[in-house]
Amino acid sequence: MDRASVFTIDTGLPKDDSQPDDQPGEIQKAFRSFILEFRLDNTFIYRDALRTNILVKLYMLDVDIGHLISFNEELAHKLSNEPADIIPIFEMAIKDCARRMFFPGADNSRSFPECQLILHSSANLISIRDLNASYISKLVRIPGIVIGASTLSSKVTLMSIMCRNCRNSKTIPVAGGFAGVSLPRTCDRPSNPADEGERCPMDPYFVVHEKCTFIDQQVLKLQEAPDMVPVGELPRHILVSADRYLTNKVVPGSRCTVMGVFSIYQSKGAKGPGSAVAIRNPYIRLTGIQSSVDHSSKGGMVFSEAEEQEFLEMSRDPQLYEKFSRSIAPSIFGFQDIKKAIALLLFGGSKKILPDGMKLRGDINVLLLGDPGTAKSQLLKFVEKVAPIAIYTSGKGSSAAGLTASVQRDSQSREFYLEGGAMVLADGGVVCIDEFDKMRDEDRVAIHEAMEQQTISIAKAGITTILNARTSVLAAANPIFGRYDDMKSPGENIDFQTTILSRFDMIFIVKDEHNAARDETMARHVMSLHMNRTPAGVAPEDAAADISIERMKRYITYCKTRCAPRLSPDAAEKLSSHFVGIRKKVHQVEVDANERSSIPITVRQLEAIIRITEALAKLSLQPIATEEHVDEAIRLFLASTMDAVGQGAGTSAELLEEVGKVEAELRRRLPIGWSTSLATLKRELCAGRGYSENALGRALVVMSRRETIQFRNGGGSVFRSGV
């Protein structure tokens, strides 16, 4: 160190010449070699894909990041950490490869369209909730539901501007996404000594639109999937900017996984005085989007070979139907038939599209109607957990627009756009509607179309469109009087119109019957639940042998994607003959009760039995539904809807005869235009003549239905109004 020469020491820092990889040219070369040299099973997949795309005039290349990692890990790491810098270089490499393929030997000056890089990956998902400042300018992959998609707009990529004064023109490149551009304030033409005195004024530039280069751009609104939102929180959403070949890929209501660069922009409204200068809003610049093509698979479930083998073995178990129905809400006592119906609702029948374009739904709708305290809501909550896609909503808190779709106005562009409601978001799943009877009638009417045609038509604010709502509906409701009144017919207990009832495939009337033996078993069951023991009378291994929720969810998805059963000819014959018998029986019930049944049996109910049959076959992965399936489907239908139809017909023939006599007596006692109090009638007919009050009540209801009499003064007096 004492010498006068220069002293050097190695600091350990890399020298400039040892790092050529960071040069754009080197990165481009590495990408080029990836496109041309990467192969799987001796096929050059990206080279072939690029050639195929460009032959059909698609200037794009879809790259799997997993392949890039296996080819050059450092490059993939750079891509995910500095996507804004690396993606343009990658796109130049794609363009270079394409030009060399189609114009070999030509010089680089030959013009070739810009190519787009589309990325997809199976890396870890990040929820919208977890996006924070540390992810800015990084590549992220986010699942969600598209709730809004704007119309296409044109975004400039190369802006051509000209000076008003001296006609000096230049082009300015514009970054993608929401990034704006500002025009230069002063003209920068080459200085000429001859005209030194005159300078162009400030802000001389204007845009020459004809010479600019434009690309398509679309703004999507991505919201968290309802099953990912914590309880009590509102779902978050984020804007996504898609351009070129990524536009028009998805529609509102579709579940998808987006991949893109997490970027920031300054909103237009924030430029005024008093707004924070350095606050920016986040958005995602899209680089790839994977839509769940099959709506039943949440986020595109993939099954391993071992899992498929396990499911196939499961499907061969002759006791699977019983096991599956036992696994549905195992903590709820009894209700075997209702649990079986719910199991079939989760699987659904086969959707059919006829040659003339008509669609027949495959989803099964179930209505649980009954007394309070019979665990209807608990069943609905369980279905929400077990169905691959499910939305739970309550009658009072749901409006027609909330269930179907609402038209919103975009705050920035002032354009109207559609936001899907519960039925649209649950497309391919189940909607559980609790307190179905508490809904307003006009709101309930909104789901008529969704339940049968499985679409939602909107004509509001100049938007006329049709959205898909391929969902099953599981509804729970109470009768009119809170409790089911056995002495009244189903029509008097059920406050629904025939139109909505005919759309339910199975209607269960759940009664809280007083039965000492059953009550004792029920009490023991509830006590053992609260004490966290195995329910009484059940072996511990039986309680644990049921299928777990996660396994049920995956098995349901597997069956829905792999199997669409059809009826065998024998089964079809058996069904059609049985349907005729059911119609005869209903007709007989109507004749006996002297009134139309409020629960109709129409061709829809025949289709319902077909769907139940197909769901039974799908449960055990059988391609053909046999006669055994038909027998079980008919048994379920008789135990649910037909049982509900016959509820009121349980009244004895003597009572009906007595009602007839009371009716004749009332016609004699009350001339047309006269009225009398109900108390007087009770005194005369029940105390004086010995008729029962029940018969009098039934006779009055029947006569008021025929508009022979009218109740007045809140039901206190009876007025004879017609023949």
Side-chain angles (χ1 to χ4, degrees):
M1 285 181 77
D2 294 339
R3 283 197 212 118
S5 62
V6 178
F7 176 73
T8 60
I9 186 167
D10 185 10
T11 58
L13 293 171
K15 303 183 186 73
D16 284 350
D17 57 344
S18 70
Q19 214 181 9
D21 296 354
D22 270 0
Q23 303 307 317
E26 293 296 325
I27 296 175
Q28 192 172 332
K29 200 183 289 178
F31 277 130
R32 208 161 48 220
S33 62
F34 166 71
I35 296 166
L36 298 174
E37 293 167 23
F38 182 81
R39 58 183 174 183
L40 278 180
D41 304 332
N42 287 333
T43 54
F44 292 93
I45 55 172
Y46 290 116
R47 197 168 75 184
D48 298 349
L50 186 60
R51 180 182 286 115
T52 311
N53 283 354
I54 288 177
L55 282 171
V56 293
K57 296 278 191 290
L58 282 177
Y59 299 101
M60 52 161 283
L61 182 65
D62 195 340
V63 173
D64 187 343
I65 293 186
H67 293 163
L68 187 59
I69 291 172
S70 63
F71 185 81
N72 185 336
E73 199 172 333
E74 194 184 332
L75 209 56
H77 183 69
K78 269 206 183 82
L79 178 66
S80 62
N81 282 331
E82 308 162 20
D85 302 334
I86 303 291
I87 288 174
I89 300 174
F90 206 149
E91 291 185 342
M92 280 160 61
I94 297 172
K95 180 176 167 181
D96 199 26
C97 289
R99 182 172 37 215
R100 289 183 181 193
M101 270 180 207
F102 286 90
F103 306 115
D107 59 344
N108 284 355
S109 62
R110 180 166 190 136
S111 66
F112 195 82
E114 292 293 327
C115 295
Q116 184 176 11
L117 168 69
I118 292 175
L119 298 172
H120 68 269
S121 155
S122 53
N124 295 339
L125 297 170
I126 303 164
S127 78
I128 296 178
R129 215 161 266 281
D130 299 334
L131 285 177
N132 53 30
S134 63
Y135 287 103
I136 286 179
S137 300
K138 301 267 196 304
L139 209 56
V140 292
R141 187 162 172 265
I142 297 169
I145 292 184
V146 178
I147 57 167
S150 72
T151 51
L152 288 192
S153 54
S154 299
K155 161 99 178 170
V156 67
T157 51
L158 277 176
M159 188 194 285
S160 175
I161 56 175
M162 186 184 277
C163 173
R164 285 192 186 84
N165 194 34
C166 61
R167 299 292 175 195
N168 172 34
S169 60
K170 58 192 280 187
T171 55
I172 307 176
V174 182
F178 291 157
V181 66
S182 52
L183 300 181
R185 301 291 308 270
T186 56
C187 177
D188 58 353
R189 62 174 170 167
S191 58
N192 188 349
D195 47 15
E196 186 62 45
E198 78 176 278
R199 299 292 301 156
C200 293
M202 289 288 280
D203 297 327
Y205 284 114
F206 66 95
V207 180
V208 185
H209 289 284
E210 305 87 80
K211 293 185 180 173
C212 297
T213 312
F214 293 97
I215 54 169
D216 289 332
Q217 188 179 30
Q218 186 181 25
V219 180
L220 308 174
K221 202 171 177 187
L222 190 77
Q223 182 178 294
E224 284 179 296
D227 44 0
M228 298 168 71
V229 181
V231 178
E233 299 261 353
L234 284 175
R236 307 262 174 97
H237 58 256
I238 191 165
L239 292 179
V240 177
S241 159
D243 59 4
R244 292 178 284 183
Y245 293 106
L246 289 168
T247 54
N248 285 347
K249 285 273 190 195
V250 287
V251 292
S254 50
R255 290 176 178 244
C256 57
T257 307
V258 303
M259 189 158 189
V261 186
F262 188 49
S263 316
I264 50 175
Y265 75 100
Q266 184 168 23
S267 64
K268 291 192 179 77
K271 287 188 177 169
S275 62
V277 179
I279 298 291
R280 298 284 186 273
N281 297 345
Y283 75 103
I284 286 173
R285 264 180 56 203
L286 200 60
T287 57
I289 188 162
Q290 285 171 291
S291 177
S292 309
V293 180
D294 172 47
H295 288 270
S296 60
S297 61
K298 189 167 71 173
M301 274 193 192
V302 181
F303 302 99
S304 63
E305 280 187 27
E307 199 174 21
E308 290 203 20
Q309 197 58 41
E310 182 193 348
F311 287 159
L312 288 171
E313 281 170 22
M314 232 170 105
S315 69
R316 294 192 195 104
D317 180 359
Q319 293 297 310
L320 178 67
Y321 177 47
E322 301 292 334
K323 273 188 190 167
F324 210 95
S325 56
R326 269 209 312 272
S327 308
I328 286 178
S331 55
I332 294 174
F333 178 75
F335 292 161
Q336 271 75 25
D337 282 345
I338 294 179
K339 289 181 181 181
K340 283 175 179 173
I342 287 174
L344 298 181
L345 169 132
L346 288 168
F347 284 95
S350 306
K351 185 183 177 189
K352 301 172 193 76
I353 300 177
L354 305 184
D356 60 353
M358 192 168 138
K359 291 178 182 170
L360 299 177
R361 70 179 160 102
D363 296 299
I364 295 173
N365 300 326
V366 176
L367 173 66
L368 308 177
L369 183 94
D371 297 343
T374 46
K376 298 188 299 292
S377 300
Q378 291 291 359
L379 279 169
L380 264 65
K381 277 284 183 196
F382 184 85
V383 170
E384 187 206 7
K385 284 209 292 283
V386 96
I389 293 174
I391 285 184
Y392 178 92
T393 167
S394 179
K396 220 28 180 177
S398 309
S399 65
L403 280 170
T404 54
S406 58
V407 176
Q408 305 282 347
R409 187 167 225 168
D410 187 9
S411 56
Q412 268 142 24
S413 67
R414 310 297 294 153
E415 274 185 4
F416 288 109
Y417 65 93
L418 273 181
E419 280 200 3
M423 301 285 266
V424 178
L425 297 185
D427 191 15
V430 184
V431 176
C432 303
I433 306 178
D434 206 353
E435 307 287 356
F436 195 57
D437 54 317
K438 313 288 189 302
M439 286 173 76
R440 299 204 308 272
D441 282 345
E442 54 267 33
D443 294 340
R444 204 182 300 135
V445 167
I447 67 169
H448 278 195
E449 182 196 357
M451 284 176 74
E452 192 59 48
Q453 272 68 42
Q454 304 225 303
T455 55
I456 286 166
S457 310
I458 295 282
K460 295 178 185 170
I463 295 177
T464 314
T465 183
I466 293 178
L467 301 168
N468 281 327
R470 293 160 291 192
T471 68
S472 304
V473 175
L474 176 60
N478 296 106
I480 295 182
F481 310 101
R483 295 284 301 259
Y484 197 90
D485 188 344
D486 285 323
M487 290 322 295
K488 293 188 166 62
S489 68
E492 295 163 75
N493 273 301
I494 301 172
D495 190 19
F496 299 136
Q497 295 171 333
T498 320
T499 45
I500 192 108
L501 288 176
S502 73
R503 286 169 163 82
F504 283 106
D505 300 348
M506 288 183 267
I507 298 170
F508 285 93
I509 289 181
V510 191
K511 288 188 196 161
D512 186 11
E513 285 171 352
H514 300 273
N515 174 338
R518 189 173 178 277
D519 289 351
E520 194 176 326
T521 324
M522 174 87 82
R524 277 212 209 99
H525 178 84
V526 172
M527 291 315 298
S528 56
L529 277 181
H530 281 264
M531 292 159 70
N532 202 10
R533 291 185 191 158
T534 308
V538 179
E541 60 272 11
D542 279 3
D546 291 330
I547 311 163
S548 71
I549 289 183
E550 193 51 45
R551 194 147 161 241
M552 281 163 82
K553 195 182 265 191
R554 290 188 73 83
Y555 184 67
I556 289 165
T557 308
Y558 182 78
C559 290
K560 277 184 150 184
T561 50
R562 299 292 195 284
C563 188
R566 288 280 175 273
L567 286 175
S568 67
D570 297 348
E573 183 58 42
K574 189 165 192 175
L575 261 177
S576 56
S577 58
H578 202 91
F579 176 67
V580 177
I582 288 178
R583 288 277 286 195
K584 269 191 192 152
K585 201 187 292 182
V586 172
H587 180 64
Q588 192 56 46
V589 167
E590 288 183 347
V591 168
D592 291 349
N594 202 4
E595 63 178 8
R596 294 297 302 269
S597 165
S598 63
I599 300 175
I601 300 297
T602 62
V603 178
R604 276 181 181 161
Q605 274 53 46
L606 173 61
E607 289 186 342
I609 306 175
I610 295 171
R611 279 191 284 273
I612 299 166
T613 312
E614 287 169 350
L616 280 161
K618 190 186 279 189
L619 176 77
S620 50
L621 283 175
Q622 292 177 16
I624 302 292
T626 58
E627 288 190 50
E628 293 88 68
H629 296 136
V630 172
D631 291 339
E632 171 60 20
I634 287 171
R635 187 196 70 75
L636 258 182
F637 186 76
L638 292 175
S640 57
T641 311
M642 283 304 291
D643 180 52
V645 170
Q647 286 283 337
T651 49
S652 62
E654 293 88 55
L655 178 65
L656 289 171
E657 197 179 322
E658 194 180 357
V659 168
K661 285 180 184 168
V662 171
E663 201 177 322
E665 194 72 45
L666 282 169
R667 284 174 189 276
R668 269 205 303 279
R669 165 81 179 69
L670 270 181
I672 293 178
W674 284 45
S675 72
T676 183
S677 73
L678 194 58
T680 313
L681 285 179
K682 277 186 182 167
R683 196 172 57 248
E684 285 184 10
L685 295 174
C686 300
R689 297 289 181 88
Y691 293 120
S692 68
E693 278 196 27
N694 186 18
L696 174 63
R698 285 298 285 269
L700 287 170
V701 167
V702 169
M703 289 175 80
S704 70
R705 284 246 174 95
R706 294 187 191 135
E707 297 184 355
T708 306
I709 60 165
Q710 286 176 4
F711 289 109
R712 291 192 172 171
N713 301 336
S717 63
V718 179
F719 172 74
R720 173 88 186 269
S721 57
V723 180

